[in-house]
Amino acid sequence: MKSNALVVVGAVFLVLLVAWFATRDSQPKVGVKELKVEKIAADTVTKIEITVPAKKEAKKPDANGPVVDNDAPKPPGVVVLQKEGPGFVVSDGKGAKKGVDDAQLKPLLDAIGEFATGDLVSNKQEKLKDFEIDDDQGARVMITTTKGQALDLVFGRAAKGGGTTVRARGSNDVFVAKGRLGSLLKKDASQWRKKTIIDKKAEDFSALTIARADGSKLVLNAESKEEPAPEPAPGEEPKEAPKPRVTTTWKLSEPATLPTGFRLDDSALARLAGSVATLRASEFADDVKGDAEFSAPHTVVTARLKDGKDLVLHLGTKDDKKRIFARVDGDPQVYLLAEFTAKNVDKGLEDLRDLSLFSAKVDDVKSVTFTSGKTRVVVEKAGSDWKLVEPKAAPAEFDPTQIPAAIGGVLRNKGLRVAADVADAGGADPLIEVKLASGKTESLRFGKAVPPAEPAAGSPPPKPDDKPREYYVKAPDGLVYVVNAFTRSRYEKPTELFKKPPAPPPGMGGAGGMSGLENLPPDVRKKLEASLKNKGLTHP
């Protein structure tokens, strides 16, 4: 009886405790100062006005040497996000209104809907500066809903334990702001703008034409194939009929004839179409007037949609930060692209070359011979297993289970580029010979170092003791490619290809470790392992 009574008392206590936690935030806190804010439904927000504190520029030396103080007062930034029609537009409160990036807006609206306040942390005016929440440093936000102004708050630095600091406009009482609203505010107007230039899917295109400034042209055509919808599993009753699957492959139609020995990378065609379909800007060139940036011969990318309409993209000159000016016919906005982004859509035929050094597949391989100096290692396939043929005595730490992975790595090697003006790699050490079941042999010969490029004007000359970064190799297709120094160094000691890799650090995936570290260059691997150790992610 006594134990039953204790159980009942414990259960009642637990129910009361849960009820207290569930209702404590809704009960009035007698004698405790609060920042009371009404809950805002995200879909009722019509206007968000943000005043961002002015950014201070670092002090820089002028041309004559002395440091110039650029820390002069600057006006704060203003961002106005306002609902117009079905969506929002953004402006700096003075200039034209621009479209808003939904990927930026949605988290902000969600954060407004989740916003709540916590405990009072200060009520002294002299502490406002320490919390970076005074009028000069704080980020002010005014939120208007369909019912009128709902909030007028100032957010400061991050609060201990999470969230940010917040106060009502005109008050010295600083509270903890729960949620992420305070962390999303400090962006200028351009960072809220929609940076999508083309918002399509690659399968929306039927053709792609790239006409470059040098007069060369590529034409790609899409071929779509509809496959029957999969049959439902036995006993399964789908809510709606499964849809047929449509697959799109890309073919190069111009040039119609490829150069002798040229191998086309089909996957590069698909990547090119995807890059055009999802093109985004890094910034806006609002101060550009006229077509000066596009007056000289330049690359023009034309994407034909399946409805017959064309999207025409122009890639112009570079600005002083090496960004590429870009515009689309019918859109008055001029954009700026990061150099690598522009390169992803500004392709020539050479960019579509398959740089694989071997054409053989793992299942076709009968044996592989590695030669480096006087060291020679031969591995051979026996049925479904691999064995060491030479040397007769297995080297220390030799692990036959590593043979398939080592051979797979050999066949996946790619060059950085073709050395079109080089006929001979200048050597054959190391040498890799892959013998196929058909009797054919594919050989890769590592040659001499690639001479360093001439330094750019104003750049220091290379040091005499600088190690070569690139080497020539003669591939099975008869062409000379360029590979990085690490690719060559891996095969200078072929016995090490078959060593059992060290146990990975625990807690990093797989069987308690991070796989793939053994494939990194030694200096990179050591730095990464040291970094993991410093962060307590490895055993001491």
Side-chain angles (χ1 to χ4, degrees):
M1 288 293 291
K2 185 175 181 180
S3 60
N4 290 339
L6 289 174
V7 170
V8 172
V9 170
V12 172
F13 175 76
L14 183 60
V15 170
L16 293 174
L17 186 64
V18 170
W20 180 79
F21 273 109
T23 61
R24 63 173 181 164
D25 286 338
S26 61
Q27 299 299 319
K29 299 177 182 178
V30 180
V32 178
K33 193 174 281 189
E34 297 178 79
L35 177 58
K36 295 182 179 180
V37 294
E38 295 293 332
K39 203 72 174 174
I40 298 174
D43 59 359
T44 66
V45 176
T46 58
K47 189 176 183 180
I48 307 166
E49 298 172 78
I50 306 168
T51 304
V52 184
K55 296 179 181 178
K56 295 181 179 179
E57 296 181 8
K59 296 179 180 180
K60 301 176 182 178
D62 69 8
N64 298 320
V67 172
V68 177
D69 188 357
N70 292 316
D71 200 16
K74 296 177 179 63
V78 175
V79 176
V80 180
L81 298 158
Q82 189 163 4
K83 193 167 187 179
E84 289 193 0
F88 276 74
V89 293
V90 62
S91 73
D92 61 3
K94 297 176 292 184
K97 298 174 181 178
K98 305 290 184 179
V100 173
D101 185 352
D102 289 337
Q104 302 279 347
L105 179 66
K106 187 179 183 306
L108 179 65
L109 292 175
D110 289 345
I112 291 172
E114 300 161 359
F115 178 70
T117 59
D119 296 332
L120 176 73
V121 294
S122 174
N123 59 2
K124 297 180 180 179
Q125 183 179 7
E126 60 269 23
K127 289 289 186 180
L128 296 183
K129 189 172 183 179
D130 294 339
F131 286 108
E132 298 175 14
I133 202 171
D134 56 349
D135 290 342
D136 292 333
Q137 299 180 89
R140 181 186 180 189
V141 59
M142 293 183 288
I143 298 173
T144 304
T145 69
T146 51
K147 297 179 180 179
Q149 189 176 91
L151 286 182
D152 187 356
L153 302 173
V154 180
F155 288 83
R157 73 181 190 192
K160 292 180 180 179
T164 52
T165 50
V166 66
R167 67 181 177 91
R169 176 73 173 168
S171 171
N172 296 328
D173 295 335
V174 180
F175 297 84
V176 173
K178 299 178 182 179
R180 50 190 171 141
L181 179 57
S183 64
L184 298 177
L185 302 176
K186 294 185 178 180
K187 303 174 185 176
D188 58 37
S190 68
Q191 291 175 291
W192 290 100
R193 288 173 61 177
K194 187 176 183 179
K195 291 184 171 67
T196 302
I197 301 175
I198 299 177
D199 188 11
K200 298 291 181 182
K201 296 179 181 178
E203 51 265 35
D204 295 334
F205 300 147
S206 63
L208 201 61
T209 301
I210 301 175
R212 306 183 87 187
D214 61 7
S216 63
K217 185 168 76 169
L218 296 177
V219 179
L220 285 65
N221 288 101
E223 295 182 0
S224 297
K225 181 181 178 182
E226 186 174 289
E227 299 177 357
E231 293 291 332
E236 181 183 352
E237 295 184 6
K239 295 181 180 179
E240 56 182 35
K243 297 179 181 179
R245 181 186 175 193
V246 178
T247 58
T248 300
T249 56
W250 287 88
K251 303 292 183 182
L252 183 68
S253 57
E254 189 176 335
T257 305
L258 296 175
T260 302
F262 188 97
R263 290 177 291 124
L264 184 67
D265 184 353
D266 292 330
S267 63
L269 302 180
R271 289 195 299 271
L272 174 55
S275 295
V276 173
T278 56
L279 189 65
R280 285 178 59 87
S282 62
E283 198 47 85
F284 304 92
D286 292 329
D287 55 343
V288 170
K289 306 297 180 184
D291 289 330
E293 286 73 21
F294 306 96
S295 58
H298 60 275
T299 295
V300 179
V301 180
T302 304
R304 174 150 294 181
L305 298 168
K306 289 184 176 178
D307 62 5
K309 296 179 181 178
D310 287 341
L311 288 172
V312 183
L313 169 71
H314 298 261
L315 302 177
T317 58
K318 295 181 181 180
D319 70 354
D320 57 354
K321 296 181 180 178
K322 296 185 177 182
R323 298 174 298 185
I324 314 299
F325 290 100
R327 66 174 176 83
V328 174
D329 284 356
D331 181 356
Q333 179 67 55
V334 177
Y335 302 90
L336 287 167
L337 301 181
E339 201 169 14
F340 72 87
T341 302
K343 184 60 181 172
N344 284 340
V345 297
D346 186 3
K347 299 286 188 184
L349 182 61
E350 192 61 31
D351 299 311
L352 304 180
R353 182 190 287 272
D354 185 351
L355 294 172
S356 300
L357 300 178
F358 288 93
S359 61
K361 307 299 180 186
V362 174
D363 292 341
D364 301 329
V365 177
K366 182 179 180 181
S367 67
V368 182
T369 300
F370 299 87
T371 306
S372 179
K374 295 181 179 181
T375 303
R376 177 181 166 91
V377 177
V378 182
V379 293
E380 185 177 85
K381 195 170 187 180
S384 59
D385 298 323
W386 286 87
K387 65 179 182 179
L388 177 67
V389 176
E390 190 179 335
K392 298 298 182 183
E397 300 183 44
F398 183 87
D399 182 0
T401 65
Q402 300 301 313
I403 296 177
I407 293 174
V410 168
L411 299 182
R412 287 193 298 271
N413 276 315
K414 288 179 177 284
L416 300 174
R417 59 187 180 277
V418 170
D421 55 344
V422 178
D424 185 12
D429 190 2
L431 170 64
I432 304 174
E433 298 167 286
V434 178
K435 189 173 182 179
L436 307 181
S438 64
K440 179 184 175 182
T441 298
E442 294 189 2
S443 301
L444 184 67
R445 296 171 170 83
F446 288 85
K448 61 187 178 182
V450 177
E454 290 293 325
S459 300
K463 298 177 181 178
D465 58 346
D466 279 355
K467 294 181 179 180
R469 296 183 178 181
E470 298 176 336
Y471 284 85
Y472 293 121
V473 295
K474 188 72 170 282
D477 62 4
L479 297 178
V480 176
Y481 294 79
V482 175
V483 297
N484 58 42
F486 169 63
T487 300
R488 182 183 187 277
S489 65
R490 289 187 67 188
Y491 302 108
E492 289 178 337
K493 297 179 180 180
T495 56
E496 295 191 0
L497 294 170
F498 309 102
K499 280 186 176 182
K500 188 172 184 178
M508 297 299 292
M514 179 186 290
S515 61
L517 289 180
E518 68 279 1
N519 295 324
L520 295 174
D523 56 334
V524 175
R525 185 175 68 244
K526 286 180 181 178
K527 290 179 181 178
L528 180 56
E529 288 173 341
S531 176
L532 293 173
K533 185 175 181 180
N534 290 337
K535 293 178 180 178
L537 298 176
T538 64
H539 286 309

